[in-house]
């Protein structure tokens, strides 16, 4: 099982498929690198090298009690990139993974990076405040933390509904998709899952976004019930110097469904090849 070891002894699991220009994927909470399997195969089939890791505390990486912090997530990503000596990278981050990508670029710069993709990503900041009235109230994130501690199995089953828009009229999200979400979520250590809520909701990425000096594709569904577009992509696209915004009408948060996923796959490949 391929892993790298960080400076604090955490083992980070990763998948590495194909050859060519590397496309490095960062997953959302509370999932793992398996959520990117379709995209890993897509890029590998098209002459690129797809790499996806499990964030610390998630999936097959070390079940960490400490270090569950956005800065550490970015440093773990840097450790993976440096260990594999990746260059001319296309970074792709979904949800919390989008925050990880932004923080990586803010902390480590773009020397090894050619482009980035932020999909349904949490920057610039999710938490509602006087300066961010479009954000999500703290009570909602407290509810997530309570759900993780009280009955995480049922909580993750329930969360998959909004995540994939299964509560919308006409939704054809399969039971299998929701069960896969539950399975991946149950592999997260409780401590890491709990800590990560604060990281994806309260981390302020304004400074990170302002430092990004590579082209960025910003993609977001306008029916995202997890990371509302008004507080996220619409603001991110205004901050990043070289951003291209694509809004997917009616799309949920999770990357699934014939129209959403196929459109994203086409846009990802086009952006990678441009």
């Amino acid at each position: 099982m391929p892993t790298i070891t960080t400076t604090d002894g955490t083992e980070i699991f990763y998948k590495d498929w194909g050859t060519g220009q590397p496309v490095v994927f960062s997953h959302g909470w509370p999932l793992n690198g398996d959520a990117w399997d379709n995209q890993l195969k897509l890029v590998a089939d098209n002459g690129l090298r797809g790499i996806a890791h499990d964030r610390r505390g998630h999936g097959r990486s070390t079940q960490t009690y400490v270090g569950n912090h956005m800065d550490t997530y970015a440093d773990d990503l840097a450790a993976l990139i440096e260990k594999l000596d990746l260059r001319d990278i296309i970074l792709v981050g979904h949800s919390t993974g989008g925050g990880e990508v932004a923080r990586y670029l803010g902390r480590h710069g773009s020397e090894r990076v050619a482009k980035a993709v932020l999909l349904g990503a949490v920057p610039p900041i999710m938490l509602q405040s006087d300066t961010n009235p479009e954000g999500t109230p703290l009570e909602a994130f407290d509810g997530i933390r309570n759900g993780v501690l009280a009955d995480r199995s049922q909580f993750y089953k329930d969360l998959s509904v909004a995540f994939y828009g299964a509560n919308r009229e006409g939704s054809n999200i399969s039971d299998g998709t929701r069960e896969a979400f539950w399975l991946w979520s149950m592999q997260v250590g409780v401590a890491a899952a709990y800590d990560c809520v604060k990281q994806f909701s309260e981390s302020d990425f304004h400074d990170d976004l302002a430092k990004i000096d590579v082209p960025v594709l910003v993609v977001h569904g306008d029916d995202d019930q997890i990371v509302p577009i008004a507080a996220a992509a619409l603001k991110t696209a205004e901050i990043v110097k070289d951003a291209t915004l694509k809004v997917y009408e009616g799309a949920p948060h999770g990357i699934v469904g014939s129209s959403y996923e196929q459109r994203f796959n086409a846009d990802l490949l086009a952006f990678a090849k441009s």
Side-chain angles (χ1 to χ4, degrees):
M1 190 170 76
T3 63
I4 61 109
T5 302
T6 67
T7 55
D8 70 353
T10 299
E11 290 191 348
I12 302 295
F13 168 85
Y14 66 94
K15 301 181 180 186
D16 190 348
W17 298 358
T19 59
Q21 183 179 14
V23 185
V24 180
F25 295 88
S26 293
H27 64 80
W29 180 93
L31 308 178
N32 60 49
D34 290 350
W36 286 116
D37 268 13
N38 287 350
Q39 285 67 43
L40 285 173
K41 185 177 187 304
L42 174 78
V43 300
D45 287 348
N46 283 274
L48 301 166
R49 179 182 178 186
I51 298 166
H53 66 291
D54 293 353
R55 185 172 298 114
R56 63 169 55 217
H58 298 63
R60 290 139 294 200
S61 293
T62 301
Q63 295 287 300
T64 45
Y65 178 70
V66 297
N68 304 311
H69 187 279
M70 192 60 66
D71 289 352
T72 315
Y73 302 157
D75 292 348
D76 290 347
L77 177 58
L80 176 67
I81 288 170
E82 291 161 13
K83 181 69 174 180
L84 299 181
D85 194 23
L86 304 177
R87 298 180 185 277
D88 196 30
I89 305 164
I90 302 168
L91 292 175
V92 184
H94 175 242
S95 195
T96 300
E100 182 178 290
V101 166
R103 184 57 50 86
Y104 169 87
L105 288 166
R107 282 173 68 83
H108 298 277
S110 61
E111 180 182 356
R112 292 175 177 263
V113 180
K115 305 173 184 177
V117 179
L118 301 178
L119 171 65
V122 297
I125 186 170
M126 285 192 70
L127 185 65
Q128 186 181 73
S129 65
D130 291 342
T131 57
N132 188 39
E134 300 86 2
T136 303
L138 179 62
E139 292 77 16
F141 301 116
D142 287 340
I144 294 173
R145 281 182 277 261
N146 291 338
V148 168
L149 291 181
D151 185 351
R152 64 183 178 129
S153 180
Q154 186 61 50
F155 174 76
Y156 292 140
K157 283 182 178 289
D158 295 341
L159 180 61
S160 70
V161 175
F163 194 93
Y164 292 115
N167 53 348
R168 298 309 199 212
E169 184 177 353
S171 170
N172 59 359
I173 302 302
S174 69
D175 290 341
T177 293
R178 292 184 56 201
E179 287 167 2
F181 177 94
W182 174 86
L183 177 64
W184 296 331
S185 301
M186 289 299 292
Q187 295 174 42
V188 186
V190 171
Y194 185 93
D195 290 348
C196 191
V197 177
K198 182 179 180 67
Q199 300 309 308
F200 72 65
S201 63
E202 298 184 34
S203 293
D204 188 334
F205 299 98
H206 282 86
D207 290 345
D208 302 295
L209 295 175
K211 293 177 182 177
I212 297 176
D213 57 0
V214 297
V216 178
L217 176 62
V218 181
V219 179
H220 216 106
D222 66 4
D223 193 31
D224 190 326
Q225 301 172 68
I226 305 298
V227 182
I229 189 172
L234 300 186
K235 294 186 176 183
T236 290
E238 293 180 352
I239 299 169
V240 175
K241 299 179 184 71
D242 186 3
T244 299
L245 173 65
K246 293 204 171 188
V247 177
Y248 291 0
E249 299 79 6
H253 188 62
I255 316 165
V256 73
S258 58
S259 59
Y260 181 5
E261 188 164 19
Q262 289 176 16
R263 181 176 176 185
F264 174 69
N265 288 348
D267 286 340
L268 173 62
L269 279 183
F271 183 67
K273 299 290 188 178
S274 64

